[in-house]
Each structure stands twice: as C-alpha cells, then as structure tokens.
Amino acid sequence: MTNTRLETDLAIVGGGGAGVAAALEAGDAGARVVLLEQDDALGGTAATSGGGCLIVGSPLQESEGVHDTPDLAFEDWIKWGGDAVDAVWARYYIEHTLHDLYHWAETHGAKWMDLKFQEGNRVHRWHRPDRNGLGLMTALIGSLTSRGAAKVLIGARAERLLTENGRVRGVQASRTNGDTVEIRSQTVLVTTGGFNSNLDMVLDARPEFRAFKVMEGSGRGATGSGHTLIRELGGYFTHMEHIWFYVYATPDYRDATGRRGLVFRQAPGYIWVNQQGRRFHDESTTGGASATPAMLRQNPPHAWAILDTPMTAKMEVADPYYRDGATVRRDRIQELLDNSPYIKKADTLDEIARKIDVDGPTFLGEVESYNKAFDAGMVREPAFGKSLDQSKKFDTPPYYAVQLFPLARKNFGGVKTDLRCRVLDRHFEPIPGLYAAGEVAGMAGGHINGRAGLEGTMLGPAIFSGRVAGGWAAHEAGCGPGFVGKPNR
C-alpha cells in the first residue's frame, strides 16, 4: 500500500455528467484539475440515461418548425414543478441551453438527433443525443481525454474533505487497490450524483414507501457519498423528499441484494394491467408525474407490462450489462426475458393470465378491447386515448408479462448552492472553497425542478451546472474569469 500526495488547482469528486463538464470548463480556463471517480470508468448515471436534454430555440427545433422561447419554457417549467421550483436557477438554465449546452456539446463531438414530446411541454423541446446518454457522455469523455483537461483517477473514493484555516483545501481518497491519495487543492467541487442507489436513504426521505416494494434505480455509484462529505462540513440540504420515481422498471434478478431495479425502454406497444387484470393508464405517458401516481393508486401498487414477441424487438435496458459499448446486447435482453422470476412467458394470453394470477375474463377483455381498436382502424384506443401509431395488436406469441414496481431514479432535492455553485450553509452563506453541481445539488441549485420535472430537466441542468461550477471554482483557484456564458436573449 502506498500513499500519494498531489497538488492541484481544482479537485473534482465524481466523474458523471456534471463532473466531466466541470473538468472541461476548468481545463479551458487553464486550471490544473484532478478528477476522482469511484467506479472503474467515467460516465456515471448520465451514461445509462435516456440522454434527453430540455433545450430552447435550437436549430433542430427550427428545422422541424417548432417555435420556442425562454419565456414559454419558463412558464411550462413553473407550472409543472410548482412553488418548490428554484425559479432563478430555472431561468438561468433555460436562457443558456442553446449556446451553453446544445452548441457547446457539439463542439465536444456530441450530435443532437431528434426531438420528442414530453409531458408538460407545450412544444417539443426534449432533445435526444446520438446513442442517448451513452453517446453524449462518450463524446464529452473523449474530448476530456484528447484535451488532457484533467488528471483522472479511476477507482478512487473520496473519504473526507480537507480543510485549512476555515476553507476547503482538498480531498483524501482511497483507491480500490488499497492505496490512499491526498489531493491538496485551492477549491473542491463535489459532483457525486444522487442517492437513489442507496435504498436506506431513499426510504429515510420517503418513509411512506416502506409499506411496499420500491427499487434502487440510479447509477451504481449514486449512493449519497457526496451528501455525507458535504453534510460533515455544514452544507444545507433542501427538498430531499422530492424523489422522481419511474414505474417502467422491473427487479434486477441478478442482484443478490434484491434491491436493484432495471429501467427498460423502447416497448411503446405494451399495455399495463394491475393485479385485478385491468388497464389503468395511457401507457405512452410514462413520466414521474403521470404514470407513477397512477400505479401507486393501484392495490397492490405494482403492475404487469404485457408484450407480445415483436414488441420486445427494440426493447432496451438501462444497465451496462445489457450493452456492449453503444451496441444493445439483444442476447442478454432475451436472457432477462427468459430467466427473470419477475417475467412470465406463455404461448397464449389465457396462460399469461394464469401465470400472473389475474382475473382471466377481465384481463382477456382488456386485450380484446385493445385489439378491436386496431380492427376498427382507430387512431387512439377508446379506454385511455392512447395513440396507436407506435402500437400493434397482440397476436404473436410467445407473450410476456413483466412485473413493474416503482423505482427511485432521480433526486430533485440536494445541497443548496448559489448561481456560482458555491455550497451554502444553513445561513445561506458560502462555505469557502466548496462547490457542488449536478444531482448532489438537486441537478442545480438545490431544487431547480421543484416537485416535478419536465424531463430533460435533469441531465441538462446537471451538465450545465457542472460547467458553471467548473468555471467559478477555477476562478477562485486563480484561473480564468469564471463561467462566461452566452444566454439566448
């Protein structure tokens, strides 16, 4: 075992979207940067995300005839998130999305591919990058490496923040090989993500979920480690109960702890039924403000996603095991479908009903009604008004039933920061030398989204706040002018 000591301008703890963006920004300012990541690779939760970012006034919107303005987006944001929104931070982000996220990401090799409607938005403003979150983070990490913007320490877990004369001046970390490293720096930035892969913290924040099954569902490193580091130095945490739960998720049967869940996407033709065998929701709206409350109203609060074989053809699972780089491992997705005890498979719909123990006539009646909408050439099915343009009849066995439970995915609350991303104490005074960005700060500022997010308002603000934090932390360390953005006025 060896002990290493490093001197630098800025130490960044956490190598996800916020941390990588901060390292790029600080590196451009001329700062020496050491970036610590406890996992064996950079990327964090961002690399397993859908990758969508809320962006206003982009060339992609213009090419599709979408007229959008910061005022319109801000109105939607406030209406969706309610009075818990940090309106100053929300406006700050929205006005910088075009130049300081969209175009900035392009300069680092990212490509924006298409737009998608998301609940609560009056226009299409959810922008998907090529290869989703993985593609966006691959581009940013590639740029970080090629520029030599930071010294990156993989497999390095921060154990405590170091202080000197009342200010934060470094990090003590342990390596997976048993070595220790002490980093002495002018400033420290914490970008460790949320705590949704720490079920104990989730249930402490939302004790009502103790009454039924809920799953961990963020990046594997999102265990709240940064929250502990900041809390020990007096950082003020706010809105911690605002957790964004998804319900298009099933337990990870490979997880020995029985806690972890798997988010799965690209199955728009499926229907959901409760334990009574009834549909209860328009399955095309899957957000935390719509699908999650709908499921939680069921008794018991879980559901079954019903698919036939063609509906599984494009299914993706947001977990590294089910990918090989950018390539979806279809063999492993089939392995999940064939082997998970939470997924039932049958050659007939009658048999599926028996295997999931729902009322057969009720269940079969729901499927029959859904199929009849196709026979009648309807644009929307009558029960919930679901659009049928991405759906099909249930007519190709084998059929699958995937058990769904609520999954803790994103933290909308975190440590309070100012617009420079300086960590604030309980008196709302900055803690000297300490910055925070991304999900540890509720995506940005402590609670930028409020109670609900428009989607794209998680990864986008996390990356943007990383840039802001990197610029100002570098400035306090004696490098660069601070974050100099170009708002879209």
Side-chain angles (χ1 to χ4, degrees):
M1 185 176 72
T2 61
N3 299 316
T4 303
R5 179 173 174 141
L6 299 174
E7 298 279 346
T8 192
D9 297 315
L10 170 62
I12 301 174
V13 183
V20 171
L24 286 166
E25 189 75 14
D28 285 348
R32 297 172 301 158
V33 180
V34 175
L35 174 61
L36 296 87
E37 169 54 48
Q38 66 180 0
D39 205 348
D40 57 4
L42 298 177
T45 303
T48 64
S49 72
C53 296
L54 183 145
I55 297 168
V56 179
S58 72
L60 191 55
Q61 285 180 312
E62 291 180 5
S63 71
E64 297 191 13
V66 176
H67 176 67
D68 199 8
T69 68
D71 286 343
L72 187 68
F74 184 68
E75 289 173 6
D76 289 348
W77 192 304
I78 295 296
K79 183 177 181 180
W80 201 244
D83 58 7
V85 170
D86 184 327
V88 175
W89 254 106
R91 187 84 205 196
Y92 187 43
Y93 168 71
I94 288 167
E95 291 187 347
H96 284 267
T97 55
L98 175 59
H99 298 290
D100 295 313
L101 181 55
Y102 187 94
H103 290 313
W104 174 82
E106 288 183 324
T107 66
H108 291 287
K111 296 180 180 179
W112 301 102
M113 301 303 291
D114 49 45
L115 301 170
K116 179 182 177 182
F117 172 76
Q118 293 286 2
E119 302 159 45
N121 293 283
R122 282 175 283 180
V123 301
H124 286 45
R125 56 173 70 103
W126 188 91
H127 291 62
R128 184 183 69 84
D130 186 28
R131 295 184 294 141
N132 304 325
L134 177 64
L136 178 58
M137 289 309 301
T138 297
L140 298 183
I141 293 167
S143 184
L144 179 75
T145 302
S146 65
R147 291 168 181 242
K151 179 179 179 61
V152 178
L153 302 181
I154 296 298
R157 178 182 175 85
E159 301 293 348
R160 67 186 182 96
L161 301 180
L162 305 175
T163 60
E164 182 180 304
N165 298 323
R167 67 175 286 118
V168 178
R169 290 295 298 268
V171 182
Q172 181 175 303
S174 59
R175 307 295 301 273
T176 53
N177 62 5
D179 294 348
T180 61
V181 58
E182 182 179 299
I183 302 166
R184 288 289 175 174
S185 60
Q186 299 300 311
T187 53
V188 173
L189 167 59
V190 179
T191 57
T192 48
F195 58 80
N196 291 313
S197 288
N198 182 335
L199 190 57
D200 294 330
M201 285 187 70
V202 170
L203 296 177
D204 283 344
R206 296 293 296 274
E208 71 272 24
F209 278 78
R210 296 182 188 275
F212 48 84
K213 185 173 180 62
V214 62
M215 303 177 294
E216 298 174 343
S218 192
R220 293 183 184 275
T223 59
S225 59
H227 295 70
T228 300
L229 296 174
I230 294 170
R231 190 174 281 113
E232 287 174 349
L233 294 186
Y236 174 71
F237 286 84
T238 183
H239 297 76
M240 296 296 281
E241 73 278 11
H242 294 171
I243 299 174
W244 202 233
F245 290 88
Y246 287 154
V247 292
Y248 47 98
T250 193
D252 182 356
Y253 77 103
R254 300 175 62 251
D255 175 38
T257 69
R259 292 181 164 211
R260 192 156 184 84
L262 299 171
V263 168
F264 66 96
R265 302 184 176 93
Q266 304 300 321
Y270 59 11
I271 61 172
W272 300 349
V273 299
N274 58 22
Q275 198 56 53
Q276 290 73 45
R278 296 188 182 279
R279 287 182 66 214
F280 57 90
H281 183 64
D282 171 359
E283 299 88 359
S284 67
T285 58
T286 58
S290 57
T292 302
M295 179 185 285
L296 294 178
R297 287 193 294 268
Q298 306 310 303
N299 184 22
H302 71 243
W304 294 91
I306 311 300
L307 306 89
D308 72 358
T309 292
M311 294 177 190
T312 69
K314 294 183 179 180
M315 181 175 164
E316 296 184 12
V317 178
D319 186 273
Y321 179 76
Y322 297 92
R323 283 187 174 275
D324 184 3
T327 303
V328 176
R329 288 289 302 268
R330 305 235 63 88
D331 58 330
R332 290 186 173 175
I333 290 177
Q334 191 60 50
E335 173 189 296
L336 172 69
L337 292 169
D338 290 341
N339 293 289
S340 171
Y342 299 96
I343 300 177
K344 307 302 180 183
K345 179 180 179 181
D347 290 328
T348 68
L349 291 166
D350 284 292
E351 187 180 0
I352 277 287
R354 290 193 296 273
K355 285 190 172 184
I356 64 177
D357 194 27
V358 298
D359 181 76
T362 300
F363 171 74
L364 295 173
E366 294 281 11
V367 177
E368 182 182 6
S369 177
Y370 192 77
N371 281 348
K372 282 182 177 179
F374 291 94
D375 295 336
M378 294 182 179
V379 176
R380 296 181 178 274
E381 55 81 27
F384 296 95
K386 176 183 176 180
S387 173
L388 298 178
D389 62 349
Q390 296 188 63
S391 300
K392 65 176 291 295
K393 291 180 65 172
F394 286 85
D395 58 8
T396 310
Y399 301 98
Y400 296 90
V402 182
Q403 195 167 21
L404 308 178
F405 296 94
L407 173 143
R409 185 66 171 179
K410 297 166 182 173
N411 293 114
F412 284 173
V415 67
K416 185 69 177 172
T417 73
D418 62 13
L419 285 181
R420 293 190 176 191
C421 295
R422 295 179 295 183
V423 171
L424 305 180
D425 64 17
R426 63 188 179 91
H427 302 294
F428 281 23
E429 294 292 334
I431 297 175
L434 184 58
Y435 293 74
E439 198 169 355
V440 71
M443 307 306 170
H447 53 107
I448 187 173
N449 279 289
R451 295 183 180 277
L454 289 170
E455 300 293 344
T457 58
M458 299 86 170
L459 180 58
I463 291 174
F464 174 70
S465 67
R467 285 197 63 197
V468 174
W472 286 112
H475 176 72
E476 186 177 343
C479 307
F483 174 72
V484 181
K486 184 180 179 182
N488 178 27
R489 298 291 185 184

